[in-house]
Amino acid sequence: MEVLGVKGFVLLFFCLWIPNEVVAIIGNSTVSSRPTVVKIGALFTVDSVIGRSAQQGIKTAIDDVNANKTILPGIKMDVIFHDTNCSGFIGTVEALQLMENEVIATIGPQSSGIAHIIAHVANELHVPLLSFGATDPTLSSLQFPYFVRTTHSDYFQMYAIADIVDFCRWRQVIAIYVDDDYGRNGISILGDALAKKRGKISYKAALSPGATKNDISILLNSVNLMESRVFVVHVNPDYGLNVFSIAKNLGMMTSGYVWIATDWLPSKLDSMDPVDTNTLKLLQGVVALRHHTPDTNLKKSFFSRLKNVNGTATTSFNSYALYAYDSVWLAAYALDAFLKEGGNISFSSDPKLIDTKGSMLHLSSLRVFNGGPDFLPTLLRVNFTGLSGQIQFNGDKNLIRPSYDILNIGESGFRRVGYWSNYSGLSVLAPEILYKRPPNSSISNQKLFNVLWPGETIATPRGWVFPNNGKPLRIAVPYRISYLEFLSKDKNPPGVRGYCIDVFEAAINLLPYPVPRQYILFGDGKRNPDYSQLVNQVALKNFDAAVGDVTIVPNRTRILDFTQPFMESGLVVVVPVKEIKSSPWAFLKPFTAQMWCVTGAFFLFVGAVVWILEHRHNPEFRGPPKKQIMTIFWFTFSTMFFSHRENTVSGLGRFVLIIWLFVVLIINSSYTASLTSILTVQQLSSQIEGIDSLISGNQPIGIQDGSFARRYLIDELNIQPSRIVSLRDPKVYEDALTRGPNGGGVMAIVDELPYIELFMSSANCKFRTVGNVFTKSGWGFGFQRDSPLAIDMSTAILQLSENGDLQKIHDKWLSRQSCGAKVDDTDSNELSLKSFWGLFLICGIACLIALITFFVRVFCQYMKFIPESEMESDQENPSPRPRKTFRSSRSFKDLIVFVDKREREIKDILRQKSKKRRRDQSLDDQFNSPT
């Protein structure tokens, strides 16, 4: 597709020779604003995969434009063809000769290398270049205003490849490319696109533009020894098939390999009529991208016309024929609008090139298009639907709506497995359908049909293998001197043992491929190594991985890829504890003073309420006042132990008692639990309650050798380095905590939770953690950045967790005595009123309801009990004032007497009064009746 371009005008000016016969020194010449003939140029390699298709497209477009009476009426468009002959130098000379012919635009060049040079000429002569084949993304820069690309830039194609790589969850690719402007700049964009997906190009394998089969064979042999098995091929279509032919001979087209080709391959296959079976077998499993053009009747008719043209070099055409055809129409539409807007077509000599100082180059013959500065904006404003789709430019001078077909090549041909567009990414729906919907490029929306990969398998290849250089994975293991349950040196192979090694080996055994490995101890064996240095050594590629109790912290994840954590961790504070001495008043500590007072008051209150409700019904609640008072006290406090002997017979009394017994049950249970906790709890021997109180002090703090805790305490918590003391092993931990800061020890120790659990177990639980875990992290295995092993090992660790093997390994190495929960202060076990006020409120409301009901009932009975004689004497007594005072005192005394009576007596009296009233009423009726 591309040829090597000649860089710079210096070489051109020194080497170029244009004979005098073809150069005529012409002064400024002006053409009519409405000429009868306009000329455009065409610059491409005629004998090439792209050139053969483009030539027929340009010729057909010229015929169609001249036959159309609505475009450029009265004006004939001529085209001047120049063959670049696959040479950067010749292509540059041909382009300069073309500029002598007063062309208003040039269709081409086809090569990105030539475009880089000729774009400078176009800038000087104001002649737009409408390139259908130069796909180098850097040509869209502001440096080349007169370069207008009428096809899609490789920028979008490389982002499509990056999306495919990410969709298949590959992280590394090897780029095989032609080492010219087209290849280098395209692969550079691919690297940027992969980086955004956390991928990368692990190796760039460059081929010269004229690479021989021997060159290709040497290059493929070298990349076959590397780790990645995903190859992106971005070369010229004229010799690109040689790459696959040699790869086939080297056994690189088999299962496990991935080959992704850019649009050069479909362009090559589309130009072959028909594609022979051997070529399809050679390319079995290859994924390729092709410019997407809508399947319209207009496009089908165009290809049918091309095949019926006599004298064509080929009967099959690729998509570049469409882009070349649309380029001619773009020039025609723009010129028609330019002339209608009053534009003039005129040419003149460039004053900068007139004085050649005796040079034989005759550069003064190059013609400047005077209307170029106005014609260029008109080109960029054109909007029409061509054979290749919508022809419209965005602000970066790129065609809108770039899209590609994703093809999978098989022995019977190639099939489309999906599409890519910058609108919605990967999809199985055509872009024309997606444009009618809201854009959606989310991960869940990315879809492709199944691909038949090399080796005729539909399983997505892993995309990498261990290099074929015989070197095993070099794994760094911390050489610990403490907590050897996690990691320790071993005399037997593999040379190390412990919990972390067993987890790593179990995960490795779950991988579907062998992993040759070698464990290398890191450290001197005298002190625990610095884990930050260990991580840095892996990042510097002195080791391939770090296996052990390596904590996953942010500054480490920036330089390494870690697996899923296989053990939860976090920093905790450890302090000494002491036993609480027994106190004779310990039984009062479960409740606060306020709680004791309220509880006692409610005992008396409920006892009084029950006495009131039961006094009229229950003989056990009657008797002399002294006895009644004793009954109230005895009954109410005996309910605390549910040992009251007095029975309740009234409904209201039983109602209150049930509520109260429930309250007593809750209070008793809470008291028992709190007292048990107080009598068995341990108390801190210091005032440290967590990391906050530790930070505010100035006492020394112990940490483990090599731990990240030192950096965390200094950098994150701003603790003075002079306060931090490094400790070697658990014995030193115990001694430092026991001696304390006054005895040359430490106030507390800050370390990771797994270590502390082992330490406290071995120290017979003489120490406790205080506060909460103040960092949330975990232990993981670290690999070099973008290592595919990190992902596979994470999956294996999750499988170990799900099937229970991870817990079994934990129990094998780390099963120890538990020291219970963290220490709490004794005062925290005291129960206050705020925990029970709801119960007291319910009980109080129940008592009030019962009392109100009782007194209403008594009052109603009392109103029926008033003697009739007193009522009659009230009627006969004419003196109301003295009688009123006497009746009030008499009624209150009567009420007290009435209340104190038994319920049974009241009912009997009321029954007798009722009979007497009925008898008196009967006598009155007989006396008053007529005889």
Side-chain angles (χ1 to χ4, degrees), residues 711-728:
R711 181 178 296 276
Y712 182 84
L713 295 177
I714 296 174
D715 296 344
E716 301 295 333
L717 302 182
N718 298 320
I719 295 177
Q720 294 298 323
S722 58
R723 294 181 57 192
I724 301 175
V725 180
S726 296
L727 305 175
R728 298 177 68 251

Side-chain angles (χ1 to χ4, degrees), residues 49 67 239 419 440 445 579 597 617 648 717 815 831:
V49 171
Y239 70 83
Y419 304 88
N440 185 358
N445 197 51
E579 296 290 341
C597 293
H617 300 270
T648 53
L717 302 182
S815 181
L831 300 174

Side-chain angles (χ1 to χ4, degrees), residues 295-338:
D295 291 328
T296 61
N297 293 330
L298 190 62
K299 185 177 78 171
K300 295 176 182 178
S301 174
F302 171 74
F303 280 131
S304 178
R305 288 169 56 195
L306 292 186
K307 291 181 180 180
N308 295 326
V309 174
N310 294 327
T312 58
T314 179
T315 57
S316 297
F317 303 90
N318 53 46
S319 60
Y320 287 97
L322 304 177
Y323 290 113
Y325 180 91
D326 288 343
S327 299
V328 174
W329 274 97
L330 173 64
Y333 278 120
L335 182 60
D336 185 63
F338 174 73

